[in-house]
Amino acid sequence: METPVESTRERLLNIAEQRFGEGGYEGTSLRAITVAAAANIAAVNYHFGSKEALLRAAVARAMAPVNTERRRRLDQLEAKGEPNAEQLIRAFIEPGLDLVLRRGERGPVVARFIGRVAFDPSQRIRELYAAESDPVEARYLAALQRALPDASPESVAFGYVNMLGLLALHQSQALTRPPGAEPPGIDEGEDPGKLAEDLIAFLVAAFDRGLR
């Protein structure tokens, strides 16, 4: 059975994901979060210490299962030898889009939150996000460079950064689509599995063409 303290902390994290995902860090006041969570500033200070610490805790909670699954898949691939670029791209992309599946109804909220933080205009906030994802992401970059020995490290890094950006765009729902020109986004019912396949195919082709 949850204690009241645990319930308040979880409510603050859940509302923080939603509000930061909708309005960004600077565009979301701590008061708006506490009112929606039926809490107060003292509760934020008690559980987290500050608005930035609340964001950090929300990012850590959201990224933990993604990082764990990416690490597991990479370990599994490398245990069998050197994986190719397509295997690495798939192992990286699918856990990011699986946020939707693992979180049920809250999946789109969490995915949008992660995407929004990754694109935050504040370098400080982007660095906060990177601190939670860099260790496993650095391993994927190194593995991609080994999988593409004919490409320069700079070219692979360029492709990798663009892969991160495209994934975050889909997560944040920041893409503008002409009416009727594209299928619905994640939160309007698009199958995350199909989106993953489309995105992986696009990225594999981009790496192949761009790094020749």
Side-chain angles (χ1 to χ4, degrees):
M1 179 177 179
E2 284 191 335
T3 68
V5 170
E6 290 171 334
S7 177
T8 298
R9 186 177 191 278
E10 290 302 305
R11 281 204 313 277
L12 285 167
L13 286 169
N14 291 342
I15 295 298
E17 286 175 346
Q18 178 186 346
R19 295 304 174 92
F20 286 141
E22 293 171 352
Y25 181 75
E26 293 297 336
T28 302
S29 70
L30 199 52
R31 176 172 174 75
I33 292 173
T34 55
V35 169
N40 53 42
I41 302 297
V44 174
N45 291 334
Y46 175 77
H47 290 292
F48 306 102
S50 67
K51 177 183 174 183
E52 183 177 308
L54 171 59
L55 175 66
R56 185 183 299 275
V59 170
R61 185 180 72 161
M63 287 302 297
V66 179
N67 289 335
T68 297
E69 179 61 10
R70 283 175 174 163
R71 190 177 296 109
R72 184 193 71 80
R73 291 190 182 205
L74 184 55
D75 287 343
Q76 189 175 62
L77 287 171
E78 291 183 336
K80 299 176 181 178
E82 288 289 353
N84 61 38
E86 181 174 357
Q87 290 172 321
L88 291 167
I89 291 168
R90 178 176 297 279
F92 188 89
I93 292 294
E94 287 183 339
L97 294 179
D98 278 352
L99 280 172
V100 179
L101 301 176
R102 278 199 303 272
R103 301 280 182 154
E105 292 182 358
R106 290 188 56 248
V109 173
V110 179
R112 185 183 299 111
F113 164 64
I114 290 299
R116 188 66 180 262
V117 173
F119 277 112
D120 197 280
S122 166
Q123 182 177 349
R124 171 63 182 159
I125 300 305
R126 294 196 305 272
E127 288 173 350
L128 182 153
Y129 167 76
E132 295 298 329
S133 56
D134 269 357
V136 68
E137 287 186 4
R139 285 187 59 196
Y140 271 89
L141 174 57
L144 274 169
Q145 289 173 335
R146 292 193 301 272
L148 299 163
D150 295 332
S152 70
E154 294 78 13
S155 295
V156 177
F158 177 81
Y160 184 73
V161 168
N162 280 276
M163 177 173 72
L164 296 180
L166 191 55
L167 174 59
L169 273 173
H170 281 284
Q171 290 173 324
S172 67
Q173 296 294 291
L175 288 168
T176 300
R177 300 178 175 91
E182 296 288 344
I186 289 175
D187 57 352
E188 286 93 26
E190 184 177 26
D191 175 13
K194 181 181 184 305
L195 175 58
E197 291 301 322
D198 290 346
L199 188 54
I200 289 165
F202 178 85
L203 288 166
V204 169
F207 268 91
D208 179 60
R209 177 177 290 275
L211 301 178
R212 284 177 184 174

